[in-house]
Amino acid sequence: MTKKIQPQQTAAFYAQAVASFGLSVSAMIIALAYLPAQPWVRAFLALGLLYAITSTVVLCKVVRDRQEITDVTSRVDQARLDKLLTEHDPFRVDS
């Protein structure tokens, strides 16, 4: 059993995710810069954007960590089961 712990990603998927994130953050920063509002309103919206970005990063990390824990736990359980099956001898007689 050679199950990989971490799934593989293509370079194109990684580049697309980075480009999408960069584009969305850049668009929001430009929109905040040209927003016809008082500076304190723009600062408040910028803080909201920063909070949304950091919350998203933390959520992604939590989901990834939970997935890794599930994979590791299932691998440990599978290893225990494999060990029990290899040690089991159905023709052994206890006397």
Side-chain angles (χ1 to χ4, degrees), residues 20-55:
S20 175
F21 179 77
L23 183 66
S24 65
V25 170
S26 299
M28 284 299 299
I29 290 172
I30 291 170
L32 285 174
Y34 289 107
L35 183 69
Q38 296 177 354
W40 71 269
V41 173
R42 285 188 287 200
F44 180 77
L45 291 175
L47 281 176
L49 174 64
L50 189 62
Y51 181 65
I53 291 171
T54 56
S55 297

